[in-house]
Amino acid sequence: MNEQNAEKFLDLILEKLIAGDAGLKSTLAHQPELTRQIRPHLEAASWLKEHAVCLDPAPRFTQSSWLRVRARILSEKKKGLPWLNTLGLRLQSLPGGFLLPFVVTLLLLVALTGSGIVFAAQDTLPNDSLYEVKRSFENAQLTLTLSEVGQAKVLATIATKRLHEAHWAAQEDRMDDSQTALLSYITTSDELFLRLNQLSPQEFIQILDHIERALSLQLTLFDALGATIAATSSPNFEQLSQTFQAAQVEFITLQSLVETVRSEIPQESTATLSLLDDDFTPTPVLWQSPTPTESTFNPASSTPWSSPTPDYPFQSATPTGDIYPPYTPHATSTITATPEGGATSIPSTTPSPTPFYQETFTPGPTQTPDYNSSATPTLTASPWPSKTPSATPSG
Amino acid sequence: MTNKTAPIDAHLIGRAKLGDAEAFGQLYERYAAAIFRYVYARVGEEKDAEDLTEEIFLKAWRSLPNYEERGYLYSAFLFKLAQNAVVHFYRKSKRQAVLNGDEMETRAEPKVFLDGYFERQELHQALSKLPEHHRRVLELRFFGELSCEETAQVMGRSAGAIRVMQYRALATLRRVLKGHYERAKC
């Protein structure tokens, strides 16, 4: 009986020891008899815990290995659509070969779209009842997009949507949902970054405009979200703020990549853009390289993409002063995104007939900011939200 | 890593089952380090442990459509996969399941030698002197950071049996360490 008590007591103490609970000593002090009995066990346990540290993975192991695992997952997803298996469809084993999964997905998509569920789901936020429908629809869109370029476009659109959801949820004081959306934004942007790095230079040029427009819109959303978070009194402020910072790092990473690519395009290549991209509007260019003289492009080289993976410049190379327009919410405004093909300015009063990021996507009924930002976003994202009264930080 | 995390896991698994890779990424973030430590303690080579950890999670992704909780915690499911992967690893490479210190020394690279090498060697030497089931309990509890209930599910025993086992395993380990340090003093 005594040994049984000791075993239970040891287990209780071990839970605290493994979790690094500060109340361990006081628990031991309350049971001097049992403590004496389990002393040798505790010595061995402490030794084990100390030595467990030497088995810890390298600092960035989790992140880097996840990138590898995800790349394999994505390639398997393309082939096998494992998420459809949840519907009980063993697609790989059915006759029909490679095309069958696409046909089934297409049928599901048509059925869902036709029934209006997908349209209803567009205005949902994380944890809303139809939110999973929205996400499934996006997954289906990704699956049905065959080209790498098209998939990157879809991912950019999805990332912008997540950021919009994060802002919308924050405005409605749904901070947990805002955080969920921000986390999704991080993963989607990460996936986009990976996908963009796999594109050939020609492919990248095809979607450069689209990605730049997405980033431009994201910059204004970050600005508005930062202001909303700074004004919140949520108990989860710290956590949300950290996620916001992480999301900004993802944004800056993408932005740096795009900027590098833009700066390495030779003039003649810019002229051929119109041949490659139907949406391309030659002048004026939204994202000029801030320092063209620093371009690493070597015309003699057969591969102008000398540094596809950029450093992570947290500061703009060419500071342009106050780049953050004051946040002025409009009671009845809707998202006025950059129209397709118009890469220069965002209209302030006339909403775009076709928001570039999604034809079917309509913002929710809540108050949304006027994305009347500077026409030429610079390479610095919003500063971290702080509890200071200033809601619109300057660059 | 306790049963308290089960509802969060269930939510993430639900999303991952729908094809949401990012939800699976969050599961990866939660468990990758623990799985790595457990595998590293078993195989003794950092590179092998990294490769096996990735394989385990890929297998977990592929198994998602078939995974149903039904009281079986996802952490336990992952460690069961890890256990099988280690067994398969040794079967495949025909290596000894327990590495002794001499082998470690010949295989150690300079970086490993500098970075916690002696601690790992001590750890392997001490654990290799324990009966296999005692060693597994301690590895799952301390390196995998599993609770008694989770360890019980991985090992197919009751939680009570695991408590008894860990009690005896730690007593044995203490004796092993005492002998080890007394020899070292001499």
Side-chain angles (χ1 to χ4, degrees), chain A residues 57 73 95 105 126 142 150 169 177 184 194 224 229 234 253 262 268 274 309 329 357 363 372 374 381 391:
Chain A
I73 284 176
T105 313
L142 262 181
D177 296 335
S184 294
L194 198 76
I229 294 174
S234 166
T253 308
R262 175 61 83 189
E268 54 269 35
S274 55
T309 310
Y357 52 89
N372 236 354
S374 163

Side-chain angles (χ1 to χ4, degrees), chain A residues 37-371:
Chain A
Q37 196 175 342
I38 65 165
R39 188 185 173 86
H41 305 79
L42 281 182
E43 284 172 356
S46 301
W47 182 87
L48 258 183
K49 188 164 187 316
E50 273 171 29
H51 279 68
V53 178
C54 72
L55 296 170
D56 279 345
R60 289 186 67 81
F61 164 72
T62 308
Q63 283 168 302
S64 56
S65 70
W66 167 240
L67 285 179
R68 288 191 291 273
V69 171
R70 194 183 50 179
R72 288 176 68 180
I73 284 176
L74 289 175
S75 72
E76 286 186 10
K77 252 176 104 174
K78 260 194 205 170
K79 290 176 196 165
L81 301 179
W83 59 274
L84 272 181
N85 287 346
T86 54
L87 303 174
L89 299 169
R90 299 275 173 237
L91 295 166
Q92 294 299 306
S93 58
L94 290 174
F98 185 67
L99 279 177
L100 188 62
F102 287 95
V103 173
V104 174
T105 313
L106 192 63
L107 288 175
L108 280 174
L109 203 62
V110 169
L112 285 172
T113 312
S115 64
I117 295 172
V118 172
F119 289 107
Q122 290 308 313
D123 290 343
T124 56
L125 289 174
N127 288 326
D128 285 349
S129 52
L130 284 177
Y131 189 69
E132 290 303 331
V133 175
K134 184 180 180 178
R135 298 297 298 266
S136 302
F137 181 74
E138 289 169 358
N139 284 331
Q141 268 186 312
L142 262 181
T143 307
L144 289 171
T145 309
L146 296 175
S147 70
E148 295 280 339
V149 172
Q151 286 186 351
K153 268 187 171 181
V154 173
L155 280 171
T157 303
I158 292 173
T160 311
K161 270 192 198 179
R162 292 295 89 83
L163 204 56
H164 175 68
E165 286 167 6
H167 177 227
W168 180 10
Q171 278 189 317
E172 292 198 341
D173 211 21
R174 290 168 62 175
M175 293 304 171
D176 286 346
D177 296 335
S178 179
Q179 170 133 353
T180 306
L182 267 180
L183 287 170
S184 294
Y185 168 81
I186 292 169
T187 323
T188 312
S189 297
D190 207 16
E191 202 170 324
L192 174 62
F193 180 80
L194 198 76
R195 199 63 64 90
L196 289 174
N197 269 315
Q198 288 167 349
L199 295 180
S200 69
Q202 287 76 19
E203 287 173 332
F204 207 137
I205 289 170
Q206 281 183 51
I207 55 163
L208 194 53
D209 250 17
H210 182 94
I211 302 294
E212 283 173 344
R213 284 200 297 275
L215 290 179
S216 173
L217 187 56
Q218 285 176 20
L219 188 68
T220 54
L221 283 166
F222 265 119
D223 189 24
L225 178 60
T228 311
I229 294 174
T232 185
S233 56
S234 166
N236 299 333
F237 172 79
E238 284 300 325
Q239 209 180 356
L240 187 58
S241 179
Q242 279 172 10
T243 313
F244 181 79
Q245 290 173 22
Q248 285 198 314
V249 170
E250 284 296 333
F251 173 80
I252 292 168
T253 308
L254 263 174
Q255 204 180 33
S256 307
L257 174 67
V258 169
E259 191 221 3
T260 308
V261 170
R262 175 61 83 189
S263 68
E264 289 181 355
I265 298 174
Q267 286 305 315
E268 54 269 35
S269 296
T270 314
T272 60
L273 280 177
S274 55
L275 298 174
L276 296 166
D277 189 355
D278 293 339
D279 300 336
F280 178 68
T281 308
T283 55
V285 178
L286 175 63
W287 286 57
Q288 293 287 3
S289 169
T291 50
T293 51
E294 290 174 8
S295 169
T296 53
F297 172 67
N298 175 10
S301 164
S302 57
T303 52
W305 309 76
S306 55
S307 56
T309 310
D311 294 327
Y312 298 87
F314 288 88
Q315 294 296 327
S316 167
T318 51
T320 53
D322 189 359
I323 58 157
Y324 300 102
Y327 172 63
T328 49
H330 279 209
T332 56
S333 68
T334 56
I335 288 183
T336 52
T338 312
E340 193 73 71
T344 53
S345 62
I346 300 166
S348 60
T349 51
T350 315
S352 162
T354 315
F356 95 90
Y357 52 89
Q358 184 85 30
E359 291 82 7
T360 55
F361 178 61
T362 49
T366 56
Q367 175 181 314
T368 51
D370 179 6
Y371 298 125

Side-chain angles (χ1 to χ4, degrees), chain B residues 59-89:
Chain B
K59 199 162 188 186
W61 166 261
R62 291 176 195 137
S63 311
L64 270 175
N66 305 321
Y67 174 77
E68 283 174 35
E69 200 208 314
R70 288 183 187 165
Y72 199 86
L73 296 162
Y74 195 64
S75 49
F77 173 74
L78 283 175
F79 275 87
K80 193 87 183 166
L81 287 180
Q83 204 170 277
N84 294 343
V86 170
V87 170
H88 183 69
F89 173 81

